[in-house]
Amino acid sequence: MKEDFEARHIDRIRARGWALQILYRWEAEGSEQPVSTALRHTLETRRVSPARLPYLRRLIGGIEERTEELDRRLEGALDNWSLGRLATIDRAILRLGALELLFFDDIPPKVAIQEAVHLAERYGGNESPRFVNGVMDALFKSTDARP
């Protein structure tokens, strides 16, 4: 049982990493195509473990379905910033974290925040982890978090 939990946890961590790469690519290419196009291209050119695909698809599908709402809610949590001014990687991390925080009932809010901070530590700049933590905390506190 514990091994199953740990394996699922690792698969979700790695799926988040894949989702971040896909979102980064999507924005770098102009974000005019649906984000699912970037997912499809990634799956055609890279080998993603089958165990990670369901969560990866869930993340990308959620972003595709809710980008406007996520961006609106994130804008409300940013203090003296706008999403457009953020580094592409930080924006992608915040979108993923906000998606899990606001819409994934099976992910506890503190876990969603912590996983976003971990992505920022791994992929963002020096200030990214603290910045992402602050925005995610503000997003959580500004609402009941989940609609």
Side-chain angles (χ1 to χ4, degrees):
M1 205 66 162
K2 185 177 180 184
E3 289 110 18
D4 288 343
F5 172 79
E6 289 175 8
R8 279 193 316 272
H9 179 68
I10 290 169
D11 287 334
R12 282 186 173 188
I13 288 171
R14 300 245 167 90
R16 286 181 190 102
W18 279 110
L20 183 60
Q21 290 178 44
I22 291 164
L23 290 176
Y24 185 86
R25 176 188 188 133
W26 174 64
E27 279 214 53
E29 293 177 349
S31 63
E32 293 170 11
Q33 297 291 322
V35 70
S36 58
T37 301
L39 170 63
R40 189 171 43 257
H41 179 60
T42 296
L43 295 178
E44 290 170 355
T45 60
R46 305 286 303 274
R47 186 174 174 271
V48 178
S49 169
R52 297 176 184 129
L53 285 174
Y55 200 67
L56 175 57
R57 285 188 172 114
R58 184 178 177 202
L59 289 167
I60 296 302
I63 294 292
E64 187 165 87
E65 183 180 319
R66 295 188 158 103
T67 300
E68 288 181 26
E69 182 175 1
L70 291 168
D71 288 358
R72 181 178 47 76
R73 306 256 322 249
L74 284 166
E75 286 280 354
L78 289 168
D79 190 24
N80 298 320
W81 283 88
S82 68
L83 276 177
R85 288 183 54 205
L86 301 182
T88 302
I89 200 75
D90 290 343
R91 188 171 39 252
I93 290 167
L94 288 170
R95 283 176 175 155
L96 287 170
L99 178 70
E100 288 185 315
L101 177 71
L102 298 170
F103 299 104
F104 287 13
D105 291 335
D106 57 326
I107 305 294
K110 289 184 181 189
V111 172
I113 293 169
Q114 191 60 42
E115 291 300 327
V117 171
H118 285 311
L119 285 173
E121 289 170 348
R122 183 156 187 197
Y123 298 103
N126 291 337
E127 298 298 317
S128 294
R130 193 171 64 169
F131 178 74
V132 166
N133 186 61
V135 173
M136 292 294 295
D137 190 54
L139 180 62
F140 178 66
K141 288 178 179 175
S142 71
T143 66
D144 291 332
R146 295 196 167 115

